[in-house]
């Protein structure tokens, strides 16, 4: 299969019809050989019924249904574990990531890039708090890690099958996919876009989830402080021995 599109869904019932229509339109610009995998992450609204009806009327659309809310990163991982595409797109299900960018991501993949991530040029309609905390988080993380994790970039991206295979082998329980993908390597490039505001519903990332996501990112990738402490320890032991 040429293309898989993975869409995590948490309480997006009002958006699903338009989302589905726009994803199909973009996928068909690229190929007929594609699949759309929705992952219903324990939605409390009618999202699952929408997904069931989509899957029964459109042969290229499928869904995975979680028994409860496990979180965005686990939902995307379930999609990755079950997709068949040579190129795999991860896209949010609230239309903040425009499906119309998918052909552009695919074009870069054809040029030879294994990871094409969509970088946010601006974030329409987000609260000032979200904008500032996100900027602060990405910059703190980048100062603590030796891995080149792109700033202001979410999980909206296209990845090659090779990357999907590597991700499946990584045993992390607390996933931080955007960091893991950077760590894996290969040829990576960016495509820029303006992030729209949510059309309906509200963010599934309240402060508590945002914090736990940030902590997962920082604890998994902050190798610089560990190296600093280790080196200081060795230096102090040596210095004490001399004295
Ligand atoms: N999402 C999910 N599980 C969650 C929270 C969110 O699958 O526990 C999905 C959500 O439906 C959307 C994507 O993950 O497709 C990004 O979430 P959201 O838009 O709420 O985050 P924000 O854009 O506010 O950071
Ligand atoms: Mg969103």
């Amino acid at each position: 299969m040429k293309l898989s599109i993975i869409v995590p869904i948490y309480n997006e019932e009002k958006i699903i019809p338009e989302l589905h229509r726009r994803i199909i339109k973009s996928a068909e610009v690229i190929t007929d050989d594609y699949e759309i995998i929705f992952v219903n992450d324990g939605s409390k609204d009618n999202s699952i019924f929408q997904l069931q009806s989509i899957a029964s009327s459109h042969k290229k659309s499928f869904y995975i249904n979680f028994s409860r809310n496990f979180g965005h990163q686990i939902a995307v991982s379930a999609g990755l574990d079950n997709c068949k595409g040579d190129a795999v797109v991860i896209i949010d299900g609230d239309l903040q990531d425009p499906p119309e960018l998918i052909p552009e991501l695919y074009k870069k993949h054809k040029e030879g890039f294994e990871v094409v991530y969509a970088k946010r040029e601006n974030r329409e309609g987000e609260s000032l708090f979200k904008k500032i905390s996100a900027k602060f988080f990405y910059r703190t993380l980048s100062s603590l890690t030796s891995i080149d994790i792109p700033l202001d970039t979410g999980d909206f991206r296209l990845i090659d099958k090779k990357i999907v295979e590597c991700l499946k082998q990584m045993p992390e329980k607390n996933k931080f996919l955007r960091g893991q993908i950077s760590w894996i390597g290969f040829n990576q490039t960016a495509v820029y876009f303006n992030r729209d505001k949510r059309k309906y519903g509200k963010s599934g990332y309240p402060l508590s989830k945002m914090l736990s996501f940030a902590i997962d990112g920082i604890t998994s990738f902050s190798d610089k402080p560990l190296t600093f402490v280790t080196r200081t320890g060795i230096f102090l032991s040596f210095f004490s021995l001399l004295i």
Side-chain angles (χ1 to χ4, degrees):
M1 176 163 288
K2 266 196 178 159
L3 177 68
S4 299
I5 298 167
I6 296 171
V7 199
I9 294 288
Y10 181 60
N11 298 342
E12 309 287 9
E13 63 173 353
K14 289 213 175 89
I15 299 181
I16 290 172
E18 181 183 341
L19 172 72
H20 189 227
R21 223 175 21 249
R22 283 172 60 182
I23 292 180
I24 291 179
K25 214 169 156 199
S26 293
E28 286 181 353
V29 171
I30 300 168
T31 175
D32 277 342
D33 189 19
Y34 71 92
E35 61 179 358
I36 306 172
I37 303 177
F38 293 96
V39 185
N40 179 42
D41 184 15
S43 297
K44 295 185 173 67
D45 64 359
N46 287 322
S47 294
I48 185 60
F49 301 115
Q50 304 254 21
L51 298 181
Q52 282 166 345
S53 111
I54 279 175
S56 60
S57 62
H58 185 246
K59 282 209 194 86
K60 292 171 181 164
S61 298
F62 305 90
Y63 69 88
I64 295 169
N65 191 24
F66 279 2
S67 54
R68 66 167 171 85
N69 178 243
F70 283 90
H72 170 237
Q73 298 286 294
I74 308 277
V76 173
S77 303
L80 292 172
D81 286 342
N82 289 283
C83 67
K84 299 195 285 282
D86 293 334
V88 179
V89 169
I90 303 167
I91 184 168
D92 279 0
D94 59 354
L95 287 175
Q96 282 198 283
D97 300 336
E100 291 70 27
L101 202 70
I102 297 175
E104 213 177 311
L105 302 179
Y106 194 78
K107 201 170 134 227
K108 287 274 177 203
H109 177 245
K110 284 277 125 196
E111 286 170 17
F113 293 98
E114 278 93 357
V115 178
V116 188
Y117 53 85
K119 198 169 156 94
R120 301 157 178 164
E121 257 182 332
N122 66 19
R123 300 171 69 120
E124 270 288 312
E126 301 273 28
S127 69
L128 191 63
F129 175 72
K130 180 114 183 177
K131 283 184 191 163
I132 292 176
S133 57
K135 280 236 176 285
F136 176 71
F137 166 66
Y138 285 114
R139 278 144 193 84
T140 308
L141 181 60
S142 122
S143 68
L144 296 177
T145 182
S146 55
I147 294 154
D148 190 14
I149 302 175
L151 299 173
D152 307 323
T153 305
D155 289 326
F156 183 24
R157 60 188 63 208
L158 180 150
I159 56 180
D160 187 272
K161 196 181 187 158
K162 283 182 251 177
I163 305 271
V164 177
E165 290 310 316
C166 293
L167 283 170
K168 284 189 197 167
Q169 287 173 37
M170 293 174 79
E172 277 79 356
K173 290 273 180 282
N174 296 342
K175 304 206 180 272
F176 188 68
L177 290 169
R178 57 199 74 170
Q180 290 173 246
I181 293 172
S182 299
W183 180 84
I184 290 170
F186 290 106
N187 289 330
Q188 311 214 358
T189 191
V191 161
Y192 291 81
F193 78 111
N194 289 326
R195 189 159 159 95
D196 294 332
K197 64 176 174 226
R198 240 180 195 278
K199 272 201 161 169
Y200 305 103
K202 59 177 193 321
S203 170
Y205 265 100
L207 187 62
S208 56
K209 275 192 192 169
M210 255 164 66
L211 277 178
S212 102
F213 181 62
I215 289 170
D216 284 344
I218 286 175
T219 50
S220 309
F221 286 93
S222 52
D223 55 326
K224 278 192 186 167
L226 291 180
T227 313
F228 172 76
V229 168
T230 311
R231 286 188 184 152
T232 314
I234 293 174
F235 172 76
L236 287 181
S237 314
F238 187 67
F239 189 64
S240 313
L241 204 69
L242 275 184
I243 288 176

